[in-house]
Each structure stands twice: as C-alpha cells, then as structure tokens.
Amino acid sequence: MNKLINISEASSIAIHSLSLIAKLDQSINATQIANLTGFSKNHLSKILQLLVKHDYLKSSRGPKGGFVLIKDPKEISLLEIYELIEGAHSDNYCFDHSPVCPFQDCIYGDIIQDISMRFIDAFKKRTIADIKLKQNISYQSILEKLNR
Amino acid sequence: MNKLINISEASSIAIHSLSLIAKLDQSINATQIANLTGFSKNHLSKILQLLVKHDYLKSSRGPKGGFVLIKDPKEISLLEIYELIEGAHSDNYCFDHSPVCPFQDCIYGDIIQDISMRFIDAFKKRTIADIKLKQNISYQSILEKLNR
DNA sequence: ACAAAAAAAGTATTAGAGTACTTAATAGTA
DNA sequence: TACTATTAAGTACTCTAATACTTTTTTTGT
C-alpha cells in the first residue's frame, strides 16, 4: 500500500520513541522501546543514535544503560523531528524538467500548496508533549513490561 | 529535496502527457511529447505504454505513428491516473508493527486523515480536461514545434 | 580482571524508480 | 515486393534510499 504523505518508518520511530521516553523519568533501552512499540530493534537503534547526535537524547552504555530525554517535550515540534529525519522538504512539484512547460499554472491546481501548508502548520504546532498514552496504560504498567 | 506528498515522476508524466494529447486532434509521438514537456523520452515511453494497456491511449507504430486519446478527457480524473500509476493508497500511518500501541489515537493527530481527504477530493474532481495550456501557447505553436 | 549488557558504528540487503538497450511492427519508396 | 527508416513495445540493467544485520566499543557489577 502506497502512502499519500511521505512519512518514513524512520520518522515514525523517532516520534514514537521520543514520546515514550518523555513519559518516563528513568532511562529506557532500545530493546524495551522496541518491545513496547513493535518496531524492529535494529532500525530503532539507528534512529535513536541520530537523536542522540542531535542532542534530543542522552545515552549511556553498558548494563542499566539506555536513553533519557534532555529537552523539554513541549519545545519539540513534530515538524523539527520530521525534518531532522526526512530532510527539508519542498512543495515544488514541477520536476524541473521543462524550462518551457506548456501548461498554465500547476497542473495539480492549488491542492498541493494547500495541503502542504496545512501539514506544516499542524506539525509545527503539535509537540512531543501533546502525544498521550492510552488512558488504561499507566506509567506503572509500562514499568512492569520493562522488567519482563 | 524531499517531497511531502508522494507524486512520482511517473504519475506526473502520465497526467502531463494525457493533458497534452487531449489538446490535439492528431497523433503525437513520444519524442514530441518529451520535447514539449522536458521529461526523459525513455521514462515517458514506459508510462505511455501503461496508458495504452489501460485503454486511455491508442498507439500506432511506424513512421507517422504515435498516440491518440480514446477517452473523453472530461471523464478522466487525476485520481484515477494517480492510482493507476502509484497503486491504491492508504492513509493508515500506523506501520502495522504494534498490536498494542501504547498511544492514544494516532500520534499525528487528525492531520493525516484531513489532508488525505482533501487530496482525494480534489484529485477526484479535477479532470484532464481542466488542465489548460498557457494562453500564449496555441495549438498552432505546438504543431510548429512538433515539426522541428 | 572478567563477563555480560548495551550503545555505537559499520556493513549488507532489498525494493522501487528510472534508464538504456533490443525487438517487433509499420509505412513509405523504389 | 523488398528495403529502409521510424516508432512503439518489451526487456534488462543501474542506482539509490530505506531497512536489516553484524561487529566493535564501552560500561558496570561481581
């Protein structure tokens, strides 16, 4: 199944992981995050490395190691994470092929600009702190899972 | 530059080509379309083949060969071409990894559904006939270019 | 010091899009 | 009727980005 919007598994992992880590006041390791979210541990690890390198997370190695958040989740927008992973994006859908495109305006009409704008707006406003755990999933129940 | 919306060069070629062919009452070949639009002739040819196979175009080989439209352009929506090329799309951005995702609702909020709906609506309404040539580009001037 | 755990770094595989090349069909011409 | 040029159709290759896997390094508890 093709996706209309380009959101790679990589950015999905980044946003999920940050949200989860933000809810905890102790460190959590890659295996635990993978178990809780269902992403592959390998891929997840790679993304977490990136988030460490960009100063969203602090990592510690060895037994009892793991990751903690070192930024205020209210200050982390989905957009900045999305762009960190996917790179900056453009809403120019002319493929730069034709110096003399014979068509008036963009053949797609205004829709591309319209929805790009909406997406960016929404992802700029929404922060990691806005993402909530299910109500029946308590901090307690997560900790229990971690220790299995 | 990454694109927010998944529109491959392939669907762009399909929509551009159909629109151009729709404006002509004589056949036009792949080289000519490539010259007018700036797409690579190779890629373009491949896409035109697909459109022939799906009964949007009729092709003829040999000298004076080329392509003509065999459907009413008012009846061809951008959506059907888009989906023909890209495949059916899904707006499920849960990557199907976790049977027990710990998050409430979708972490992205409602934005994905919202803009998917807008996109589909717009692409369903807009047809090949709606795509206009630039005002200063006449049928005549296209024909001139064709014969260079 | 040693062994186990964990992150980090490096390597390999895969899938899809786009490209290049080859084959088959057609029309004009002599 | 055969020859040649032209054009679409078909096939095979390449390149890249995303994801998966493996090895190395660091750390901690005994």
Side-chain angles (χ1 to χ4, degrees), chain B residues 19-28 36 139 142-143 146:
Chain B
S19 303
L20 194 55
I21 296 169
K23 300 287 175 286
L24 305 172
D25 57 8
Q26 63 176 183
S27 96
I28 179 173
L36 281 165
Y139 182 71
I142 288 187
L143 291 187
L146 296 192

Side-chain angles (χ1 to χ4, degrees), chain B residues 63-99:
Chain B
K64 307 282 170 193
F67 301 87
V68 290
L69 194 65
I70 55 175
K71 284 197 176 171
D72 180 353
K74 286 195 294 296
E75 300 296 321
I76 308 174
S77 72
L78 298 206
L79 187 65
E80 73 182 90
I81 302 304
Y82 177 82
E83 293 197 328
L84 178 70
I85 306 289
E86 316 265 345
H89 58 267
S90 132
D91 59 356
N92 175 21
Y93 281 81
C94 288
F95 283 80
D96 284 344
H97 39 74
S98 182

Side-chain angles (χ1 to χ4, degrees), chain B residues 25-62:
Chain B
D25 57 8
Q26 63 176 183
S27 96
I28 179 173
N29 69 38
T31 307
Q32 294 169 326
I33 299 176
N35 287 342
L36 281 165
T37 58
F39 291 105
S40 108
K41 191 201 151 193
N42 287 321
H43 199 190
L44 196 121
S45 302
K46 179 173 252 178
I47 303 304
L48 292 181
Q49 275 179 51
L50 237 168
L51 293 174
V52 169
K53 193 179 295 171
H54 286 85
D55 296 320
Y56 289 94
L57 298 177
K58 190 165 71 63
S59 66
S60 51
R61 293 179 168 191

Side-chain angles (χ1 to χ4, degrees), chain A:
Chain A
M1 273 304 193
N2 261 303
K3 300 271 188 272
L4 185 60
I5 318 281
N6 264 324
I7 300 181
S8 66
E9 182 164 340
S11 15
S12 187
I13 288 174
I15 295 172
H16 278 85
S17 301
L18 286 173
S19 303
L20 193 56
I21 296 169
K23 299 287 174 288
L24 305 171
D25 56 8
Q26 64 177 184
S27 95
I28 179 173
N29 69 38
T31 308
Q32 294 170 327
I33 298 176
N35 286 343
L36 281 165
T37 59
F39 290 106
S40 107
K41 190 202 152 194
N42 289 320
H43 199 189
L44 196 123
S45 302
K46 181 168 254 179
I47 304 302
L48 293 181
Q49 275 179 50
L50 236 169
L51 293 173
V52 169
K53 191 179 297 172
H54 286 86
D55 295 320
Y56 289 94
L57 299 177
K58 190 166 68 64
S59 65
S60 50
R61 292 178 170 196
K64 306 281 168 194
F67 300 86
V68 290
L69 193 66
I70 54 175
K71 284 198 176 172
D72 181 352
K74 286 195 294 297
E75 301 296 322
I76 308 173
S77 72
L78 298 206
L79 188 65
E80 73 182 270
I81 302 304
Y82 176 81
E83 294 198 328
L84 178 70
I85 306 289
E86 316 264 345
H89 57 267
S90 131
D91 59 356
N92 175 20
Y93 281 81
C94 287
F95 283 81
D96 283 346
H97 39 76
S98 181
V100 281
C101 174
F103 296 103
Q104 194 174 14
D105 313 317
C106 171
I107 61 166
Y108 302 117
D110 300 328
I111 183 68
I112 305 291
Q113 276 226 324
D114 175 48
I115 66 184
S116 294
M117 202 199 64
R118 285 173 191 277
F119 176 89
I120 291 166
D121 251 41
F123 263 45
K124 201 178 274 166
K125 283 193 193 118
R126 191 171 173 85
T127 72
I128 294 298
D130 295 325
I131 298 172
K132 301 278 186 280
L133 293 172
K134 275 181 186 147
Q135 292 181 329
N136 60 339
I137 292 195
S138 62
Y139 183 69
Q140 198 58 39
S141 70
I142 287 186
L143 292 187
E144 278 163 23
K145 283 195 184 174
L146 295 191
N147 303 324
R148 270 190 298 171

